[in-house]
Amino acid sequence: MSMNQIIQQITKSKRVLLATHIHPDGDAIGSLLSMGLALEEIKKKVQLYNESVLPAVYNFLPSIHRIKDDAGDLEIYDTVIILDCSDLQRVGNAAGAISRIPTIINIDHHATNSRFGNYQFIDPKASATTELIYRLITAMEIPVTTAVAYAIYTGIMADTGSFRFSNTTQEAFKICHEMVRHGADPHKVAQHVYETISLKRVKLLNMLFDTIEVSENGKLSIMTLTQNMLHATGTSITDVNGLINYARRIENVKVAALLYERASGRQLRSPNGSAFHVSLRSDGSVNVANIATAFGGGGHRSAAGFDTLGTLPELKNELYSISDHL
Ligand code: AMP
Ligand code: MN
Ligand code: MN
């Protein structure tokens, strides 16, 4: 599907809902803000929606308060734009209701995108979804405000791990250069997103370090995060963003897994087990999207995830059996 068809459709829309995945990262939040605020520039009525608590590190982004966890009456929207989601279910509880909005536009950079919706703008080569939004906005000749510049810059910075991951391309730098020209201050973004860490987050990190296990061949590391650890430190899941990278940086490790026990299932040792979210990261030599897809999830080559039910020992055993083939 050509970019022109998407642009034509967006131009026809009047009331637009914008949504992204639960537990949003910098790219998800940056995508919501940049697309939403750009559409407002061309006089569209927009609502920015995300059902999760947003990580506090992004509170500095201009207009962050515009993102609401309640989209109100969904019947008023003619169009919904789903951003940075490999499938529609990723938006969370409202996915069913949102799927009834007449026109669904899917803008994303996951190789595993299910191609849901009436219109798709998907490019797995894009470093971030905000890179695709930059392309749309420039093609539509919408002026880039400072708020939009901050949002696009933050999305690319977050998804490239501060320009260190393998998706760090010339294009990523070129767009970020443009965004800095339009008023985004890289030092300010870095200060907020990486250089400020609460004491309780440090305590949580300490607990997480204690759970690290490495497979016999040394190629897989596993971190475990329980609800008890969040309670004991007074932290929430938004404080966990990025901590898996410590497990990935361990010498010889090719794949790191973070097993997160969801709030719905407290009894880790119960015979029926609990609900887990598993985050996977690789050093680039292994495609973890394939592993995540085999478990019903998805993602990118170096960062992927899935949701599963089971007991902790079962889950670890399944992952250790994969480590033999790494
Ligand atoms: P996470 O480890 O949850 O931060 O996710 C890493 C990457 O995997 C992101 O690009 C997500 O979009 C993707 N991902 C995580 N969980 C799932 C899931 N249950 N289904 C599909 N994709 C997922
Ligand atoms: Mn994302
Ligand atoms: Mn992304």
Side-chain angles (χ1 to χ4, degrees), residues 5 76 119 246 252:
Q5 284 172 288
I76 66 167
Y119 297 86
Y246 287 99
N252 300 322

Side-chain angles (χ1 to χ4, degrees), residues 20-21 24-25 27-28 84 90 109-110 159 300:
T20 185
H21 60 81
D25 46 42
D27 187 32
D84 200 44
R90 295 275 296 143
H109 68 131
H110 290 87
D159 265 20
H300 310 279

Side-chain angles (χ1 to χ4, degrees), residues 215-220 254-255 285-287 291 295 317-326:
S215 64
E216 242 166 76
N217 63 11
K219 294 179 181 172
L220 170 76
K254 290 178 180 291
V255 174
S285 68
V286 176
N287 187 344
I291 301 175
F295 283 93
N317 280 339
E318 281 187 83
L319 292 169
Y320 281 132
S321 65
I322 291 169
S323 75
D324 296 338
H325 309 286
L326 293 175

Side-chain angles (χ1 to χ4, degrees), residues 8 31 66 82 113 115 131 265 284 291:
Q8 266 177 27
S31 297
R66 295 288 309 278
I82 312 277
N113 190 288
R115 311 198 72 86
E131 178 173 331
I291 301 175

Side-chain angles (χ1 to χ4, degrees), residues 30-41 61-63 130 133-134 137 142-155 175 179 182-184:
S31 297
L32 267 186
L33 286 173
S34 56
M35 190 79 247
L37 298 176
L39 291 183
E40 228 166 38
E41 287 289 310
L61 284 171
S63 295
T130 61
I133 293 169
Y134 171 81
I137 293 177
I142 302 174
V144 177
T145 60
T146 306
V148 168
Y150 265 110
I152 290 177
Y153 179 92
T154 300
I175 296 168
M179 296 305 102
H182 281 103

